[in-house]
Structures are given as structure tokens and as C-alpha cells.
Amino acid sequence: MTESPNKPVRTRFAPSPTGFLHIGSARTVLFNWLFAKQNNGKFILRIEDTDIERSNSDFEKDIIDGMKWLGLDWDEGPTPAAAGEIPNSKLQFPKYVGDYGPYRQSERLDIYEKYLRKLIEEEKAYYCFCSKEDLESDRQAMLSQGMAPKYGGRCRHIKKDEAERRAKAGEPAVIRFRVPEIEVEFQDIIRGKVKFDASLIGDIVIAKNLSSPLFNFSNAVDDAEMKITHVIRGEDHLSNTPKQILIQKALGFETPQYAHLPLIFTPDRKKMSKRYLETALIDYVKDGYLKEAIINFLAFLGWHPKENKDILEIGELVKKFELKRVQKAGAVFNLEKLEWLNGQYIKTLSSEELAERMKNFIPESWLNENNTEILIKAISLEKERIKKLSDFKESADFFFELPDYDEKLLAWPRPTGEEFIMNKEKTSTNLKLLSEEIDKIFKADFNKENIEEAITQLTAVWGRGDLLWPLRAALSGKEASPGPFEIMEVLGKEETLKRLKTAMEKLS
Ligand code: GLU
């Protein structure tokens, strides 16, 4: 979707730092980012931290860390000085390449105050002195008459001067917006025409006082002040939209376009919650998912390209994503699909790149210079098999250290019942035969092809299972692993012979 060139596209992500970056919010980031990029627009990060009690800078950091990890940077901000690496990051993130810190609402309070004063001055907002008890008794009265409760309007008609005098004198008050009793209609890019009867809303509180604006107010002001053209956010905000539109109208601002993204469900149609699935992006990062796979996966939560394709990298997404074609119906979060995608992306990365990304998932000793060659070779082998970076440690540990295994592992044929039969002598003789053959190969020629060729001569005579099973088991100490020739190439001649010797010792 391309927008008219006269009005530069500006989107924003406006998280409240009251929790870790939710995987669903990461989709909101992505859709805003994609839409801005494909329209040569700007994408803005605005931290909505006016709720001082619930906001927390650790959460802000987590949100920023997550966006940077995904590579979905914002394009603009108020303070070049705030740029730089995020100190004490919980993860190893790539260097911060952006130039700006985010906008923070807590640093913009004077802007909201100016607009609050304007609304009060124009009598579009007013001080409300109602006590909790007043409000509760009005509520009960309305309920008993079968009406949907809303603010009863006790303070609506207090004269402006009198109200200001009372507020100045320190009488507890909040600021309410005079919600006009009209029908609010807007065209949602995803949902089409949406209508709300604003007479059901009642006058809403927009600020606790002149320097403490509440969410709907600061959000509406900032979307206008920051010239946001497209508000792309979760469907859970749909009911806020008419309030924000009315506030913008009251201030003489233009209304942005809205696109409310479908909610995300688990495959059995439950709301995404920690009880069923991890919800924080950071948990997926720690689990060993790649940013490429997560981005691809998130893009398909409520959208898919016209062509029948499952794998679309970020560059293609920028070209193909269409906000208009995002579905209204809930999107299903299918973890198996994410895992599959991750496996696909792992295969496409070079082993060197994977080694780099694997750093947080493997023991430090594996990163030792002496192990570099083994590490790279082991990754080349395992990358065909693993689904997550975190799988590598368990599937590749034997390359670095032979696990202690039971001699029974060497038995061929594999025992089926309880009773264990193994001809130890025969197994040992076979391993000896193999050792001698392997020993003949020059160190410099010690690669998969040469090893395979040498051993195939033996298996032709002595049988595959009888030789290859104990060989592979002796090399890996595991029931399942890559094939013996591949393993030997990774381990090298010396270590291979050492492991065969260990196996023979177990049998003697
Ligand atoms: N601060 C709001 C939230 O975190 C977002 C509002 C919006 O995107 O408009 O839910």
C-alpha cells in the first residue's frame, strides 16, 4: 500500500513500560516498521510512561533491547544524547546504530499541560470534584434503573471560574473531558467502517491534574503532535479510539488513520497467556529463536502474502506486506510453525555466523580458540538437524567431551527385550579392525570421503551394522548422532582413535 507522497507516512509504537515486550507487541512493532519503510516514512518509538506507579525503566530497557535485537529501529527521537549502547543489557545485542533515544511522555508534560489548559479554557474539559462515594452512588443509581453506568455529570455545570478557584485552593479534583453525545465514525484500514455511540461513554477523566495526564489524553495529543498518519495497534485499543478521536477534534487536530490488528490466540483458541505459552519476546530469544524466524513468523500473524509462500525475509516483507490485507479474525500463534521456520533459517546461516549467535547457548570452553575448528565443523553438521540454537548444546556436546556411556551402547544388533545379549569379544575385535584401518589414513587426508572409502572395504566383508553401530556409538557415546564418518572428520584422527580405544577398554 503506498500513500500519497504529499503527506509523509509516520507510524509509531507506543508501549507503556509496565511489562516485558510482549511477543504480540513485537508484531505491532513489525507492522508499523514495515508500513513506514515501504512508504519511505518514519517510524517512531514513544514510551508512554505517564503512569509513574506502574512504569519501570527495566521494562523500557527490555522493550528497547527487544526492538534492537529484532533490528526494528526507530527513525527519530528528541535526544541524540540518549543514543548509544544500552548499559547492562541482559543480552548481547548488536551495537546500537540509531541516532536517537525514544520519545518519553514523562519528558513532555508541559505539552500536555498546555493542551489541558486550552480545553479547560474553551470549556471542553472541566474540573471534577466528585468523591469516590459520589461516583459510586451515581453508578448504583444508574444500574438500578437498568442504565449502563457512566459519569453522571455532577460537576459538568460548575462555572469555570469557580471550578478553577476551588482547584487552586487545593480541593481534590480531576480533569474531565466533555464527551459530546454524538456518533463517532471512522474508517479502520483493517476493519472497515467502525461506529461508536459516544453518548454511552460519558465524560471521561483525562488527567489527574494539569501535570498528570492520563493515557487517552496524552496518547491522542502525541499522535497529533508527532504528526502520526497511521495508528497501527492491537484490537484491544479499539474502544479507546472514539475517545481519542474526540479529544483530537476538540483540540482542532486532524484524525490519523487507524488500523487495529487482530488479537492473537493459542491454537486451541485461548487468549495468549503465560499459562499456555511464553508471552515475552525475551523468552523466545533465550530459547534460541533467530530474529529472522521470529520476524517471518510475526508477519504471518494475521497476514499472509498473495502467493503461497511461508518464508519471507524482512526485505521481501517490506515489498509485499499489505496493511489492507491484514485479517480481522483472530490470529493463531502456532509454536510448531515458529520452530519449523527457525530450523529453516538456521540452515541458511553460515556456520561462522551461527557460532557467533550461539555464544550465549554453549559452554565457554567450547569457545576456546583450540576448539574453534571443532565448533565450526560441529555446527556445519548439526545445523541440518537442530531447530533452535539452544538444541545445539545437547546434540553436540560429545564433540567436545565424550560422555560416559554404558558398554551396552556398543551392542549390535540393538537389544529389543529386557535381556541383554552382546558378543563382547566380537564387538571388540571389530573395533580393533576399524582402528587399524583408520590408523592407516594419513592425518592430512583425514576427511569424510577418505574415511568412508576405507571403512566401506571393511563393511563389505564384515557387515555394516556390526561395524558401523559400535563405531558410531564409540565416537559419540550416544544413541543418536550424525553418522560416524562425519563425526570422525570433526574429531580428527587422534581423538577418533582415542575414543575407539576407550570403547575397547570398556569391553575388556
Ligand atoms: N500505551 C499503550 C499500550 O501500551 C499503546 C497505545 C497505542 O498504541 O495507541 O497499550
Side-chain angles (χ1 to χ4, degrees):
M1 180 195 284
T2 23
E3 292 297 310
S4 95
N6 351 347
K7 203 172 174 197
V9 165
R10 291 169 65 82
T11 64
R12 86 314 191 260
F13 175 52
S16 307
T18 53
F20 293 108
L21 180 59
H22 192 281
I23 186 90
S25 305
R27 179 193 61 176
T28 304
V29 173
L30 176 65
F31 284 17
N32 275 285
W33 188 93
L34 287 173
F35 189 75
K37 284 284 167 277
Q38 67 185 193
N39 287 295
N40 296 318
K42 289 235 173 355
F43 168 58
I44 284 160
L45 172 61
R46 180 173 82 223
I47 304 288
E48 302 209 319
D49 57 353
T50 51
D51 183 344
I52 306 165
E53 265 129 58
R54 295 181 57 227
S55 297
N56 173 325
S57 62
D58 285 347
F59 292 136
E60 179 190 298
K61 196 156 78 59
D62 177 79
I63 292 165
I64 291 177
D65 281 357
M67 288 172 69
K68 297 206 161 298
W69 183 82
L70 288 168
L72 302 175
D73 263 330
W74 57 96
D75 301 310
E76 183 187 294
T79 49
E85 270 187 277
I86 307 157
N88 313 319
S89 172
K90 287 188 276 324
L91 296 158
Q92 285 190 330
F93 287 104
K95 274 223 160 50
Y96 177 15
V97 289
D99 291 326
Y100 304 98
Y103 289 105
R104 281 192 200 93
Q105 288 193 325
S106 58
E107 294 165 356
R108 299 165 55 80
L109 295 178
D110 48 345
I111 298 176
Y112 315 124
E113 176 167 348
K114 178 179 84 184
Y115 289 118
L116 281 170
R117 284 187 191 280
K118 181 167 165 13
L119 287 183
I120 293 173
E121 187 52 39
E122 294 172 2
E123 299 193 34
K124 291 173 180 165
Y126 58 88
Y127 284 103
C128 168
F129 304 95
C130 290
S131 66
K132 265 201 189 121
E133 293 73 29
D134 291 340
L135 295 174
E136 186 52 29
S137 79
D138 287 354
R139 209 179 94 88
Q140 290 306 333
M142 276 181 236
L143 282 173
S144 69
Q145 288 169 43
M147 289 158 66
K150 61 176 187 182
Y151 178 61
R154 282 175 191 247
C155 298
R156 216 172 195 233
H157 305 293
I158 301 175
K159 289 255 172 317
K160 192 179 80 183
D161 296 345
E162 185 197 333
E164 273 186 350
R165 186 183 46 73
R166 282 169 67 181
K168 259 196 200 132
E171 193 173 333
V174 294
I175 300 169
R176 276 189 196 272
F177 177 61
R178 215 179 278 275
V179 175
E181 305 210 325
I182 55 169
E183 186 155 90
V184 182
E185 193 181 296
F186 64 95
Q187 194 68 26
D188 188 278
I189 295 170
I190 295 164
R191 317 181 69 79
K193 192 182 282 180
V194 182
K195 281 190 202 170
F196 279 94
D197 181 358
S199 68
L200 299 173
I201 299 174
D203 294 351
I204 52 167
V205 181
I206 52 172
K208 289 195 221 158
N209 55 55
L210 288 171
S211 45
S212 311
L214 295 180
F215 161 67
N216 273 314
F217 184 73
S218 45
N219 182 280
V221 165
D222 275 345
D223 282 341
E225 271 271 316
M226 297 176 178
K227 301 201 167 21
I228 300 303
T229 54
H230 297 78
V231 171
I232 304 168
R233 62 183 175 189
E235 195 188 299
D236 47 325
H237 283 291
L238 194 58
S239 63
N240 291 319
T241 306
K243 300 173 195 167
Q244 295 171 354
I245 290 177
L246 289 172
I247 291 169
Q248 286 162 346
K249 286 213 155 88
L251 288 167
F253 292 138
E254 266 180 61
T255 306
Q257 291 198 57
Y258 289 91
H260 288 91
L261 307 176
L263 298 177
I264 302 173
F265 296 100
T266 64
D268 47 1
R269 292 262 134 202
K270 300 220 167 71
K271 211 176 153 237
M272 272 285 277
S273 91
K274 257 194 108 66
R275 272 181 62 195
Y276 310 108
L277 270 171
E278 295 297 357
T279 51
L281 173 70
I282 179 88
D283 290 320
Y284 291 87
V285 177
K286 285 186 188 157
D287 231 10
Y289 289 98
L290 301 177
K291 65 175 184 189
E292 290 86 346
I294 292 181
I295 284 178
N296 193 147
F297 177 75
L298 292 176
F300 281 61
L301 283 180
W303 175 82
H304 57 88
K306 280 193 187 126
E307 73 224 281
N308 192 12
K309 259 186 144 181
D310 287 313
I311 298 191
L312 282 185
E313 288 176 44
I314 189 91
E316 291 173 282
L317 287 172
V318 172
K319 284 189 214 132
K320 296 196 172 140
F321 177 69
E322 281 177 281
L323 189 57
K324 263 191 214 156
R325 285 187 57 254
V326 171
Q327 73 197 37
K328 271 189 274 198
V332 176
F333 190 102
N334 185 342
L335 193 61
E336 274 171 35
K337 182 166 176 210
L338 175 58
E339 248 188 48
W340 174 80
L341 271 172
N342 209 53
Q344 298 299 311
Y345 277 100
I346 283 180
K347 281 184 210 163
T348 65
L349 294 183
S350 73
S351 302
E352 287 73 16
E353 173 68 23
L354 275 171
E356 188 59 34
R357 298 206 198 186
M358 208 76 95
K359 278 185 175 162
N360 290 332
F361 296 92
I362 53 180
E364 223 161 286
S365 61
W366 296 13
L367 296 164
N368 191 308
E369 251 175 64
N370 304 331
N371 280 331
T372 308
E373 210 187 318
I374 290 204
L375 179 65
I376 298 291
K377 283 183 174 171
I379 290 177
S380 316
L381 260 189
E382 294 287 341
K383 75 181 179 190
E384 298 299 321
R385 300 155 36 101
I386 58 172
K387 295 271 184 296
K388 296 184 279 180
L389 297 178
S390 52
D391 296 339
F392 180 70
K393 184 174 166 217
E394 213 186 295
S395 61
D397 55 359
F398 71 91
F399 286 114
F400 301 89
E401 197 178 346
L402 179 65
D404 188 23
Y405 61 91
D406 193 281
E407 56 167 24
K408 290 174 186 165
L409 184 70
L410 300 165
W412 185 266
R414 299 303 292 144
T416 43
E418 288 280 291
E419 206 174 321
F420 195 83
I421 332 154
M422 166 162 60
N423 185 338
K424 285 198 199 181
E425 217 169 296
K426 186 176 137 204
T427 311
S428 196
T429 313
N430 286 346
L431 287 172
K432 183 141 185 289
L433 212 60
L434 285 160
S435 288
E436 284 164 6
E437 199 59 34
I438 291 163
D439 200 18
K440 287 185 208 154
I441 308 169
F442 286 117
K443 231 177 167 177
D445 299 334
F446 206 73
N447 59 37
K448 185 179 160 250
E449 290 70 32
N450 291 337
I451 301 167
E452 186 164 2
E453 200 188 308
I455 290 180
T456 306
Q457 293 173 25
L458 290 183
T459 54
V461 183
W462 304 101
R464 283 178 67 83
D466 279 329
L467 290 184
L468 297 188
W469 177 272
L471 172 62
R472 197 201 53 73
L475 293 168
S476 67
K478 286 186 170 221
E479 278 284 348
S481 74
F485 311 126
E486 285 94 343
I487 300 179
M488 282 188 268
E489 178 175 321
V490 177
L491 292 179
K493 182 171 170 180
E494 219 169 288
E495 181 66 19
T496 295
L497 291 174
K498 203 170 127 197
R499 291 189 181 193
L500 292 181
K501 196 164 158 244
T502 305
M504 287 185 272
E505 279 163 12
K506 274 184 196 279
L507 294 169
S508 66

